[in-house]
Amino acid sequence: MLKACCFFVLTIFFGLSAFSKTLNVTKFGARGNGKTDDTKAIQAAINAAVNYPNATVYFPAGIYLIDSYTKTSVYLINYCLKLHSNISFRGDGSKSVIKLASHIFDSRDTMANAHIFYGTNIKHVQFTGLLVDMNGANNLVPSGIIKNNMTLFVENGSDISISNITIKNCSGSNMIAIRGTGHGLLIKNCSFYNGGNYVGGATPNRYQTDFSFLYCTWDSTKIVNNRLEQQNPDIALSNYTGGIELHGSYSYAGQNTIIGCNPGLYISSTAHVLKGVVVANNKIRQCLRGIAFWIQHPITDITISNNYISITYPRLLKQKLSGIEIPNGNAMEYSDRQANNAMLNNITIVNNTITSLLTEDKIDKTSGMILHSLQNSTIKSNTISGMNYGGIVMEGSKWGMRSVMIRNNKFNYFKRNNDIQAVGGYVIITDSYSSKVTGAPGLKNIIFTQNIFNKKITTISSNQQNKKQGKFFGAFIALPSKMMNEIHFDKNEFSDKKETIVSVKTD
């Protein structure tokens, strides 16, 4: 019996040893001196880890230069290091640096780019305690060329964990892209700095026209307690720069800080019906748009709650400025024709604070929420402050809008804009689509109740006092006559009695 117990204990011991096998990349030839190309040595450690279940590839303190890559038949999946399943990657925090070499992708050939880590159909992979320097200032994208180089690109799989990682200065299209079919992605306690137009240097990466820090299509994705920051918003916001993109159902983004993006966060149904997404307790600062939707398939059961969103001013591009935006999808009115190709059902927007940081009235019009295509949805207990166009803007679309309850919201400190041909108001409701399309569903059963509309700001800066300003109303409603009775205002409080509800028939 004693021998059997000893055998059992030894089996557990050796099993744990195999489970915790650590492969130091320096033992495979990696120098970590920031000068020698360590790509092949790191790949050798990764390949060796396949022989041990759940092994760890360890990067001791040093700068590990990535200066070579493998071309494939598809430029999107060129790679420097190829991943396998059941491997952990660990370093000593900011002391363990993986750095992309300078001018590695200078060729004008689209094929001349690669992801640092690439994997397909992989599962049970972890990253922790590393700093990745994408060295974007020395890898600027040439004009007319697409570069997709990312820190991590995974297509299909499950159970990937990324924690306590810092990635900075990405000149490619994303820092992390988890695509295809999969589930169980966790990104937690990480920091992401600079990408797209601003990559950490004085020269803009102006030819990279599409960028988001994190792009995730897997279901059951969790992105929690991360920092995503453009450290120079003046450069970053002169081109498109997204924060987090959620394309998978039952995903959660919470407790993140997102700075200097447009938008801070995307909720998107590009591949399939999207449902069960929660976006909560995020701080989205200095963004042109806070949370935006992109809709190609129906979206249902979405909760946006307890987020703080601040809107900044546009740098070079003329942009819609809004805290939360659902596009209308009408080709006649909206240039991104696939942005709204289906309806949204059971959307709850609750307890969010949306504010504008704009101090000059010459700046483009700002809105708290721009809404289209909602069905059976609730917007309640939000605070919207400082806008100069609309608090809640509702516009007709090809999907119409039905059974939307807007209650217990607060609208504070609004001001007029300088477009003398435009109106402004706490609420703006229009539908130019229904008047042009026979049988359009229009707006039905829209209820505003128990909202508080506080007096707007009447003073403006001295250098703006001689400029004409647009009119401001408590609510401005411009609809076909058959829809007028579908908009209900009840038990709302206007602190300025002059700010009345104005209705204009558009028949």
Side-chain angles (χ1 to χ4, degrees):
M1 183 68 181
L2 181 60
K3 291 182 178 179
C5 290
C6 291
F7 176 78
F8 180 69
V9 171
L10 288 172
T11 301
I12 293 177
F13 176 79
F14 286 116
L16 287 174
S17 296
F19 181 84
S20 59
K21 179 69 175 181
T22 298
L23 301 165
N24 189 321
V25 294
T26 62
K27 303 299 183 182
F28 292 82
R31 301 290 296 276
N33 59 13
K35 300 177 181 179
T36 305
D37 182 7
D38 286 329
T39 308
K40 289 183 178 179
I42 296 170
Q43 187 66 63
I46 294 172
N47 294 342
V50 176
N51 299 315
Y52 304 93
N54 302 298
T56 296
V57 175
Y58 170 60
F59 296 79
I63 300 175
Y64 298 90
L65 193 68
I66 303 298
D67 198 13
S68 57
Y69 60 94
T70 299
K71 286 187 178 182
T72 70
S73 59
V74 180
Y75 75 89
L76 184 61
I77 58 175
N78 295 344
Y79 63 87
C80 303
L81 300 168
K82 192 168 185 178
L83 296 172
H84 303 293
S85 296
N86 306 309
I87 298 177
S88 296
F89 295 86
R90 178 173 59 85
D92 294 327
S94 61
K95 297 179 181 179
S96 299
V97 181
I98 297 174
K99 183 175 182 178
L100 195 64
S102 298
H103 308 295
I104 187 171
F105 304 137
D106 278 356
S107 169
R108 293 190 58 81
D109 179 5
T110 297
M111 293 286 286
N113 75 132
H115 314 301
I116 294 181
F117 291 98
Y118 165 76
T120 182
N121 297 311
I122 63 169
K123 57 185 179 180
H124 306 310
V125 173
Q126 298 181 359
F127 293 86
T128 188
L130 293 166
L131 188 157
V132 181
D133 184 355
M134 299 291 286
N135 195 16
N138 293 307
N139 285 290
L140 300 178
V141 175
S143 63
I145 300 296
I146 298 173
K147 301 289 186 181
N148 292 280
N149 54 291
M150 308 172 195
T151 292
L152 174 63
F153 183 100
V154 173
E155 190 168 16
N156 305 327
S158 63
D159 300 322
I160 291 180
S161 173
I162 303 164
S163 63
N164 299 295
I165 295 287
T166 297
I167 304 175
K168 64 181 183 180
N169 303 332
C170 176
S171 63
S173 55
N174 303 106
M175 285 188 170
I176 293 175
I178 310 297
R179 297 179 179 244
T181 301
H183 65 273
L185 168 66
L186 173 64
I187 303 176
K188 184 177 182 180
N189 299 331
C190 297
S191 297
F192 306 97
Y193 299 105
N194 309 326
N197 202 49
Y198 179 66
V199 289
T203 303
N205 186 38
R206 59 172 55 91
Y207 300 115
Q208 180 59 47
T209 57
D210 190 9
F211 171 82
S212 290
F213 283 98
L214 307 176
Y215 184 104
C216 313
T217 68
W218 288 8
D219 291 344
S220 303
T221 287
K222 292 185 178 180
I223 302 177
V224 183
N225 198 37
N226 303 284
R227 186 178 186 88
L228 299 84
E229 181 178 0
Q230 297 285 6
Q231 293 176 307
N232 189 327
D234 288 325
I235 295 178
L237 290 175
S238 61
N239 209 330
Y240 177 84
T241 171
I244 297 170
E245 296 195 34
L246 295 177
H247 299 257
S249 293
Y250 308 110
S251 293
Y252 174 78
Q255 296 84 50
N256 301 288
T257 298
I258 304 170
I259 300 173
C261 293
N262 178 32
L265 193 144
Y266 250 134
I267 300 173
S268 175
S269 60
T270 53
H272 49 69
V273 173
L274 185 74
K275 54 188 175 181
V277 171
V278 176
V279 175
N281 299 297
N282 300 285
K283 296 179 180 178
I284 303 174
R285 297 174 173 168
Q286 293 181 262
C287 293
L288 301 187
R289 291 176 296 163
I291 299 171
F293 286 73
W294 188 275
I295 310 142
Q296 289 184 265
H297 298 272
I299 292 179
T300 185
D301 300 329
I302 307 298
T303 299
I304 300 173
S305 67
N306 298 292
N307 301 285
Y308 172 85
I309 301 170
S310 66
I311 302 171
T312 187
Y313 64 92
R315 270 57 177 184
L316 297 179
L317 301 179
K318 189 175 181 63
Q319 298 277 359
K320 286 184 177 181
L321 307 177
S322 57
I324 297 173
E325 180 189 359
I326 300 173
N328 63 26
N330 302 333
M332 68 185 76
E333 298 175 4
Y334 194 81
S335 60
D336 296 316
R337 298 189 179 195
Q338 296 302 310
N340 186 342
N341 205 37
M343 64 178 62
L344 303 93
N345 185 60
N346 194 25
I347 310 300
T348 300
I349 303 175
V350 58
N351 289 328
N352 300 283
T353 298
I354 303 173
T355 185
S356 171
L357 300 178
L358 309 185
T359 57
E360 296 293 334
D361 297 322
K362 64 184 179 181
I363 301 301
D364 292 3
K365 294 189 287 290
T366 60
S367 302
M369 301 183 195
I370 300 176
L371 306 176
H372 302 85
S373 310
L374 293 178
Q375 319 288 318
N376 306 306
S377 296
T378 300
I379 300 166
K380 67 177 182 178
S381 302
N382 302 284
T383 300
I384 301 174
S385 304
M387 305 301 154
N388 67 359
Y389 176 59
I392 290 179
V393 179
M394 306 181 80
E395 300 173 350
S397 74
K398 57 190 174 185
W399 303 109
M401 193 175 303
R402 178 173 57 86
S403 298
V404 181
M405 173 68 74
I406 303 99
R407 64 183 176 90
N408 296 114
N409 301 283
K410 293 182 180 179
F411 301 77
N412 299 321
Y413 314 124
F414 278 48
K415 56 187 176 182
R416 298 179 182 184
N417 62 70
N418 283 333
D419 185 348
I420 61 174
Q421 296 181 340
V423 298
Y426 301 116
V427 176
I428 306 288
I429 304 176
T430 62
D431 186 358
S432 60
Y433 186 82
S434 294
S435 61
K436 298 176 182 178
V437 179
T438 302
L443 283 72
K444 297 179 182 179
N445 193 29
I446 310 299
I447 300 172
F448 287 82
T449 183
Q450 301 177 53
N451 301 286
I452 298 174
F453 302 98
N454 288 325
K455 186 176 177 62
K456 67 179 182 297
I457 293 176
T458 56
T459 58
I460 58 177
S461 59
S462 58
N463 62 331
Q464 297 292 309
Q465 288 179 358
N466 296 324
K467 291 193 175 183
K468 294 182 179 179
Q469 295 179 301
K471 295 180 179 180
F472 187 94
F473 302 98
F476 181 82
I477 304 171
L479 295 172
S481 56
K482 64 180 180 181
M483 260 189 260
M484 283 297 185
N485 292 332
E486 297 290 343
I487 310 300
H488 308 281
F489 278 80
D490 180 53
K491 299 179 181 178
N492 300 288
E493 179 182 330
F494 289 88
S495 64
D496 188 335
K497 303 305 180 183
K498 296 179 182 179
E499 293 167 356
T500 57
I501 300 171
V502 174
S503 299
V504 177
K505 296 179 181 180
T506 57
D507 299 289

